[in-house]
Amino acid sequence: MAKFLIPCLLGLEKLVGDEVKRLGLQDVQVENGRVLCRGSEADIARLNINLRCGARVLLVLGEFPAHSFEELFQGTRAIAWEDYLPRDAAFPVKGYSISSQLHAVSACQSIIKKAMVERLKSHYGMEQFPESGIKYQVRFSLFKDQAAICLDTSGEGLYKRGYRAVGVEAPLRETLAAAMVILSRYRGRDPFCDPFCGSGTIPIEAALIAKNRAPGLDRSFDAQKWAFLTANIWLDAADEAMDKEFHGSYDIWGGDVNPKAVAIAKDNARKAGVDDIVRFDVADMKTFRRQSEYGQLVTNPPYGERLMEKQEAEELYRELGKVWKQLPPKWRTLVLSSHTEFERTFGRTADKKRKLYNGMIKCDLFMYGNV
């Protein structure tokens, strides 16, 4: 049985763990910044195609203590690389070290690469490897002197769904947008709105969730080209995902004052295949009103990282607070912001808060209503 490591943004671990459990994988362990689980080779395809909040899917090939370069070398060399890499494989090495004696990442990269080459030389009878073929990205982690050596099955991060070729300033990652939608408890029944929609990421992720459409159906993954995996696992996983899709009518809306952003959002929705169930309008947040008894307002307004922008952001938050007070009392409202004075300027302390990271920016998800 294969072991998988799924890194994720800090704060999203439980959501990713829940996703993995719903897919039926075994021995699911939720840790800081990552989720571990076990499954079959077919689950490589299922995880990549279906995960909404995970960053990538790593196939764990070896785990061992590495207090010294010799231990790192011997542990890496002990892995049966010939079972995975053909003689012309390209195998770049990336990784990180945290709280470990081997803290020089570039040196660790060199040792791992050297150990791999030594193992492959003895198997293929070659002195040099051209690395002219398919890429097998090797990723390692060193944490408290424990090494994990993996192959990155995803390639580009899973947040790259394939629908957003262009964006506007400070775009929100799709994985974080999906997490915000899930945390709002949106299931497709109530109205869903984002009055600061930008390039449309949050409403598009809401539409994918409403349709139960797997986010990875319209993109490719590095492991699709790997010789030791059969092509049918990807076809089977795609068929399984499409069989689970819902078809119905939904009320999903995004608005923004920037006409260019709205045009991009509409094009992104078309690429995502949800333009029939989500609509975008050029609209000022100040005019936002909804009368339905239930609904979700989920948004990522400008943070204001510089002084003048902070003042402008605070004014936006005041106006958003006024708009929020006009909503029916059973609406759920979630706002992502890094601004330390958000609650004061919004006009009410959040019912719940959750720490999240938008890229390298530390944020809070301010949650209002029954969340």
Side-chain angles (χ1 to χ4, degrees):
M1 185 169 284
K3 183 172 184 177
F4 305 111
L5 189 161
I6 303 162
C8 61
L9 291 170
L10 290 171
L12 303 189
E13 297 92 344
K14 185 180 183 302
L15 297 184
V16 176
D18 290 344
E19 286 190 279
V20 171
K21 289 174 185 175
R22 283 195 295 271
L23 287 170
L25 278 88
Q26 300 174 28
D27 301 333
V28 179
Q29 301 173 54
V30 176
E31 301 179 355
N32 283 341
R34 66 185 196 174
V35 172
L36 299 165
C37 59
R38 293 186 182 275
S40 67
E41 286 186 345
D43 289 316
I44 292 174
R46 297 179 68 243
L47 288 166
N48 274 297
I49 287 173
N50 287 284
L51 286 179
R52 298 188 189 280
C53 302
R56 57 184 68 249
V57 179
L58 307 182
L59 174 62
V60 181
L61 302 186
E63 294 177 289
F64 48 86
H67 300 87
S68 66
F69 286 131
E70 180 63 19
E71 285 186 323
L72 181 61
F73 180 89
Q74 295 299 340
T76 302
R77 195 181 189 283
I79 296 169
W81 292 102
E82 65 274 9
D83 291 346
Y84 304 98
L85 275 58
R87 63 179 63 229
D88 66 342
F91 47 101
V93 178
K94 292 182 181 178
Y96 63 87
S97 176
I98 299 174
S99 303
S100 297
Q101 295 179 55
L102 302 180
H103 56 270
V105 171
S106 59
C108 292
Q109 286 175 306
S110 298
I111 293 294
I112 290 169
K113 186 85 170 185
K114 183 179 178 181
M116 292 176 65
V117 169
E118 288 299 313
R119 173 83 187 212
L120 293 171
K121 278 166 65 174
S122 64
H123 178 77
Y124 287 120
M126 299 167 61
E127 283 301 312
Q128 293 190 345
F129 292 87
E131 296 197 48
S132 57
I134 300 300
K135 183 175 77 172
Y136 292 72
Q137 179 68 62
V138 178
R139 290 189 183 268
F140 72 90
S141 65
L142 281 165
F143 181 62
K144 294 183 177 178
D145 299 316
Q146 289 292 314
I149 310 294
C150 311
L151 286 178
D152 183 350
T153 71
S154 302
E156 289 192 305
L158 295 183
Y159 72 91
K160 293 195 174 181
R161 314 290 206 215
Y163 65 73
R164 194 171 69 182
V166 293
V168 292
E169 187 179 354
L172 186 71
R173 282 197 171 183
E174 292 86 332
T175 44
L176 181 53
M180 292 168 64
V181 175
I182 292 167
L183 290 169
S184 78
R185 297 199 215 165
Y186 177 65
R187 298 294 183 272
R189 291 185 290 274
D190 308 320
F192 184 96
C193 304
D194 177 4
F196 295 98
C197 73
S199 57
T201 308
I202 294 175
I204 290 171
E205 290 298 320
L208 292 172
I209 287 169
K211 294 183 72 168
N212 200 34
R213 181 172 176 80
L217 280 172
D218 295 326
R219 57 158 286 179
S220 60
F221 306 94
D222 274 9
Q224 286 176 278
K225 300 175 183 177
W226 293 354
F228 70 90
L229 296 175
T230 57
N232 67 311
I233 68 169
W234 302 94
L235 297 172
D236 291 346
D239 287 342
E240 177 192 45
M242 288 187 285
D243 286 344
K244 294 179 179 178
E245 284 189 22
F246 304 144
H247 301 281
S249 58
Y250 307 95
D251 183 1
I252 303 170
W253 176 85
D256 201 283
V257 293
N258 183 347
K260 181 181 177 182
V262 171
I264 291 170
K266 289 179 178 179
D267 191 50
N268 288 342
R270 178 187 60 77
K271 291 173 184 171
V274 296
D275 53 325
D276 58 329
I277 64 166
V278 60
R279 69 186 194 279
F280 295 100
D281 295 311
V282 178
D284 191 323
M285 171 272 300
K286 297 175 186 177
T287 65
F288 178 78
R289 300 288 185 275
R290 285 295 186 276
Q291 300 303 320
S292 53
E293 184 179 4
Y294 296 94
Q296 277 86 8
L297 189 159
V298 181
T299 194
N300 175 44
Y303 302 157
E305 292 299 305
R306 293 185 288 272
L307 181 61
M308 288 300 293
E309 291 175 349
K310 277 183 179 287
Q311 295 170 2
E312 293 171 3
E314 288 180 4
E315 183 57 34
L316 278 179
Y317 299 158
R318 288 190 191 94
E319 293 297 331
L320 181 60
K322 294 175 185 176
V323 167
W324 174 78
K325 288 175 183 175
Q326 304 298 316
L327 289 173
K330 293 182 180 179
W331 271 60
R332 296 191 188 102
T333 298
L334 279 70
V335 184
L336 184 70
S337 178
S338 66
H339 201 298
T340 55
E341 296 297 313
F342 173 81
E343 289 167 297
R344 178 184 62 79
T345 53
F346 185 78
R348 180 173 157 180
T349 302
D351 296 315
K352 287 183 183 178
K353 284 196 293 187
R354 192 178 186 121
K355 291 194 180 302
L356 296 172
Y357 281 82
N358 183 7
M360 298 302 292
I361 303 173
K362 185 178 179 180
C363 299
D364 283 297
L365 184 62
F366 299 94
M367 309 166 77
Y368 298 87
N370 182 23
V371 289

